[in-house]
Amino acid sequence: MTHPFQSIEEVTIQEFVLFIKIHHKQIEENTIIYLNLEPSITGADRKRAAMLLDSFLRLMTHANIDELNNDDKYFFNTWLQSQLSIIDRKSFNLFQLIFEKSLITFMIQ
């Protein structure tokens, strides 16, 4: 028995930002929970990851959807450039892990 292949629809930057704007409170709560529950994160790493998460959620909630033009590379690169003083590979990986866990948890709920 074979199952038909279902294509995955890509989300535009505007749709992603709108999703974050609508659900940012719950996503933010989830990030705080996951950040505090992870025992292997040191204090300094936790602080840097928390600053990245906060900055990213602020960027998403304050972005003007009408001005976004599907140039997600520019949009995200601008944010990354603004975080250069605190970001390193470990803190970025923690940011990504916590943010993805938070989104998945929200989507399951």
Side-chain angles (χ1 to χ4, degrees):
M1 187 185 288
T2 61
H3 296 280
F5 177 75
Q6 294 179 356
S7 65
I8 298 174
E9 228 179 279
E10 287 193 29
V11 174
T12 66
I13 187 70
Q14 291 92 345
E15 292 168 333
F16 179 70
V17 170
L18 182 59
F19 175 82
I20 298 297
K21 281 179 176 271
I22 292 169
H23 304 290
H24 77 278
K25 288 291 185 193
Q26 184 60 45
I27 294 168
E28 183 178 25
E29 288 175 16
N30 290 351
T31 61
I32 292 168
I33 291 168
Y34 279 114
L35 194 58
N36 290 327
L37 286 178
E38 187 61 50
S40 63
I41 302 175
T42 65
D45 291 334
R46 186 180 319 273
K47 185 176 180 179
R48 276 196 302 275
M51 289 189 319
L52 290 171
L53 289 160
D54 181 59
S55 170
F56 187 74
L57 287 173
R58 235 179 310 119
L59 172 72
M60 294 289 117
T61 56
H62 291 93
N64 185 341
I65 294 174
D66 295 331
E67 293 178 4
L68 297 173
N69 58 1
N70 274 338
D71 190 4
D72 54 346
K73 286 182 183 179
Y74 176 77
F75 184 70
F76 292 117
N77 279 336
T78 302
W79 173 76
L80 278 173
Q81 293 293 323
S82 71
Q83 303 304 311
L84 286 178
S85 64
I86 62 166
I87 202 168
D88 59 16
R89 182 175 293 187
K90 187 174 183 179
S91 62
F92 184 75
N93 287 339
L94 286 171
F95 157 80
Q96 183 179 2
L97 175 69
I98 300 296
F99 187 71
E100 287 177 359
K101 281 182 172 183
S102 300
L103 284 178
I104 291 169
T105 300
F106 175 76
M107 290 167 48
I108 290 172
Q109 293 172 342

